[in-house]
Amino acid sequence: MSDAITPRPAPRSLSIPGVEALWALLPLALFGAILSLAPTLPHDFWWHLRVGQLVAEQGVPGTNMFAWTIPADAPFVYAAWLADWLFYLSYLLAGLPGPVMLRNALGVAGFALVALEARRRSGSWRLAGLAVLLAGAMTINNLTTRPQNVVWPVFALYALLLGAYSAGQAGPRALLALPLLTVFWTNAHGSFVLAPALLAITCAGETLRRLLGHAGALPWRRVGWLYLAAAASLAATTLNPIGPGIFGYVLKLLTDPPSQSLVNEWQPPTTRTLAGFLFFVSLVVLVAALALGRRRPTLTDTLLVCAFLWLALGGMRYVVWFGMVAMPVLAQCLGRRLPAVSAPRGIEATDSRSAVSASARSAPSVTKGERSFTTAVALLLAAGVVMLQPPFKTAVPLPAAYTSFFAPVPGAPGLFSLDTPVGAAAHLRENPTRGRLFNDMAYGSYLIWAAPEERVFVDPRVELFPLALWQDYIAIGEARGHDALLEKYNVERVLLDTRSQPLLAAALAADPAWEREYADERAEIYRRVR
């Protein structure tokens, strides 16, 4: 069998899809609507926006800068600097609604790629819609505006390109995009390690398929191109401000005691949360599809699903990646077994490889009326999602129960969650802290942006602070020995969240040594009077 082949590209058509495509467009529009309605939490947004400003004005920072409990020059890796800069650029272009609109656009783009990959594998728009529905449900705990949003489409495109190449539907030139995507990914988010992981698993799977003589296995020449792409992509990860040291940062993050033990999204999924429940429902559907489906995934697909399932079972933050990888495979398993068509010389035809082309040949022609109807519905769905974007959202008659969840951020109504301390930050700007401030962690993120002159006790850069400091922070918030601990750190002022720190609020209110100087629906500020 000769290795000298010309890969057969997937069929191309510029015509508008028929009514069947609406099965994918409906769940994609639903996901876009839910994403657009999701409030932005303060934790992983405001401090990133501030870093984006610093990147634009001074270059990529490399030290603590914001917290007084750690030396200002303590080193810290801002691995998401490029995403931070993009958020700040969108802020310069459109104000505070800009980063939210960027999140919404990137989210829809990422899951549109998931739909395309599911359609490529299954030949069915209905199953593509199911893949988007299930994968979208698994992102419900990741809808806030954060750097991870920026790499959703990058991950989805990575998976699509590798899947199409392994199926013989894309040639080696498609692999040229991977190192370029890797450079962007490495500088935009710490999840970039998934790029070499995807390539390593694909290389291993395709090598084993060739060695085991599986039907449809890639010839050695094409496997070799995969290895070259993997090597180039691995080298591309070093093109960042700290070079190969970026892997040390990831390793530190993965072994950091405070992050691993205190942050919810690092914990395994559980059915006690909605996000965890939806993950396990999707997992049951996947298992059923693997057992009862009319088609079987390749060895490479099986390795990818198992690897990302292992990640997802270890931490909730990985579930989004599992959904993007596994749900298109689910669609493939449920797809009807299609007749084989001629494959490129050197690659045996299989139902997996011929799915799209055979479907295109056997599909009924789309009438002009169907195209017009599909176009009209697609435009209507797009208009609905557009109306939920920040410039138009306030004109939509949303329920009062929903609008009550948002903080009155100037210039950005209905976008940021109620635990954004707008009034408290304004009070601190007008009445700066002369001593040391203790603050709620999420509030620290907003202060870094809105009151940068206020040095914070802690903020969401969890790995920056030692575990002992986090233990003291938790003890103070729970009013366990808070007097001694506040004295230990010479705290003169306390900014707390009455919802997350009610015991501390009650203790300070009853303590004559502290006086409340500010209060609103969520935040309170106390100052030491003796």
Side-chain angles (χ1 to χ4, degrees):
M1 185 177 295
S2 171
D3 283 357
I5 66 170
T6 302
R8 175 186 47 138
R12 299 177 182 177
S13 175
L14 296 178
S15 61
I16 299 171
V19 177
E20 280 288 308
L22 295 179
W23 287 98
L25 290 176
L26 285 168
L28 185 61
L30 176 63
F31 174 79
I34 293 174
L35 181 63
S36 301
L37 290 170
T40 292
L41 306 177
H43 304 68
D44 280 341
F45 175 72
W46 297 104
W47 76 268
H48 280 290
L49 189 60
R50 171 66 172 149
V51 171
Q53 180 183 22
L54 293 175
V55 171
E57 297 174 353
Q58 305 172 15
V60 181
T63 58
N64 158 32
M65 299 182 293
F66 309 128
W68 62 262
T69 49
I70 300 292
D73 60 353
F76 184 78
V77 177
Y78 294 90
W81 70 268
L82 182 54
D84 296 344
W85 178 78
L86 290 173
F87 278 147
Y88 184 67
L89 178 61
S90 65
Y91 164 76
L92 292 179
L93 294 173
L96 286 176
V100 178
M101 289 190 288
L102 180 62
R103 171 201 66 177
N104 299 342
L106 291 170
V108 171
F111 282 85
L113 288 169
V114 171
L116 290 176
E117 172 63 353
R119 170 70 170 83
R120 183 194 67 79
R121 287 175 173 272
S122 67
S124 167
W125 285 116
R126 296 190 182 202
L127 292 174
L130 176 63
V132 170
L133 190 65
L134 293 175
M138 284 189 273
T139 67
I140 197 168
N141 69 320
N142 273 293
L143 298 182
T144 188
T145 308
R146 60 193 306 194
Q148 189 190 82
N149 311 139
V150 175
V151 297
W152 281 354
V154 177
F155 180 90
L157 184 56
Y158 231 89
L160 189 153
L161 289 173
L162 286 174
Y165 184 82
S166 297
Q169 295 171 343
R173 282 182 295 182
L175 300 180
L176 295 175
L178 299 183
L180 298 177
L181 289 172
T182 302
V183 173
F184 178 88
W185 197 346
T186 303
N187 291 280
H189 194 253
S191 62
F192 76 92
V193 292
L194 297 178
L198 282 166
L199 276 159
I201 295 169
T202 303
C203 286
E206 293 305 315
T207 299
L208 288 172
R209 292 181 70 209
R210 181 76 272 175
L211 289 173
L212 296 173
H214 285 190
L218 294 178
W220 285 119
R221 181 180 179 83
R222 286 172 64 83
V223 174
W225 284 115
L226 268 176
Y227 278 92
L228 285 175
S233 297
L234 183 61
T237 61
T238 64
L239 300 179
N240 68 86
I242 62 173
I246 195 68
F247 285 96
Y249 159 78
V250 174
L251 180 62
K252 179 182 183 299
L253 188 61
L254 293 175
T255 57
D256 177 58
S259 299
Q260 299 300 316
S261 60
L262 301 177
V263 180
N264 289 335
E265 67 176 359
W266 287 98
Q267 308 309 309
T270 170
T271 55
R272 291 190 295 272
T273 66
L274 178 59
F277 176 77
L278 292 173
F279 162 69
F280 284 109
V281 168
S282 299
L283 183 56
V284 169
V285 176
L286 175 62
V287 172
L290 292 173
L292 304 175
R294 290 167 288 187
R295 296 164 60 194
R296 294 290 179 264
T298 66
L299 177 59
T300 301
D301 294 334
T302 302
L303 290 175
L304 284 168
V305 170
C306 289
F308 280 87
L309 175 59
W310 175 72
L311 277 178
L313 290 173
M316 197 64 207
R317 67 182 289 123
Y318 304 116
V319 168
V320 59
W321 312 122
F322 169 74
M324 287 184 166
V325 165
M327 294 306 102
V329 175
L330 179 148
Q332 175 180 314
C333 292
L334 294 177
R336 61 189 177 90
R337 189 177 296 276
L338 299 167
V341 298
S342 58
R345 185 163 52 92
I347 302 182
E348 295 87 343
T350 66
D351 64 335
S352 174
R353 297 184 186 285
S354 60
V356 176
S357 57
S359 175
R361 293 186 182 186
S362 60
S365 60
V366 180
T367 66
K368 183 178 180 180
E370 287 178 321
R371 289 196 183 97
S372 299
F373 177 76
T374 302
T375 302
V377 175
L379 290 175
L380 185 63
L381 292 172
V385 175
V386 168
M387 285 301 297
L388 294 176
Q389 301 314 301
F392 316 107
K393 189 177 179 181
T394 53
V396 179
L398 298 169
Y402 167 77
T403 56
S404 65
F405 285 118
F406 295 92
V409 178
L415 298 181
F416 299 97
S417 63
L418 199 57
D419 51 351
T420 305
V422 179
H427 179 84
L428 291 175
R429 286 195 303 270
E430 296 171 0
N431 305 275
T433 302
R434 296 179 180 178
R436 291 179 167 183
L437 173 73
F438 174 87
N439 59 273
D440 172 78
M441 178 189 72
Y443 286 4
S445 178
Y446 185 69
L447 292 181
I448 288 172
W449 169 259
E453 68 281 356
E454 291 286 342
R455 306 263 294 173
V456 300
F457 186 87
V458 291
D459 60 67
R461 297 173 296 170
V462 178
E463 68 273 21
L464 173 65
F465 305 96
L467 181 60
L469 181 63
W470 282 115
Q471 291 170 336
D472 286 347
Y473 165 80
I474 294 172
I476 293 171
E478 296 176 349
R480 291 186 287 107
H482 65 284
D483 285 333
L485 289 172
L486 292 173
E487 186 73 30
K488 169 186 172 181
Y489 289 102
N490 294 320
V491 171
E492 295 295 326
R493 220 172 188 182
V494 172
L495 167 60
L496 57 85
D497 183 342
T498 56
R499 298 274 182 92
S500 63
Q501 299 168 316
L503 296 177
L504 178 61
L508 294 183
D511 190 339
W514 292 89
E515 178 182 74
R516 189 172 71 178
E517 61 176 282
Y518 175 86
D520 59 29
E521 187 176 352
R522 288 287 295 264
E524 290 183 349
I525 299 176
Y526 288 84
R527 63 183 179 90
R528 189 187 295 273
V529 293
R530 65 182 185 189

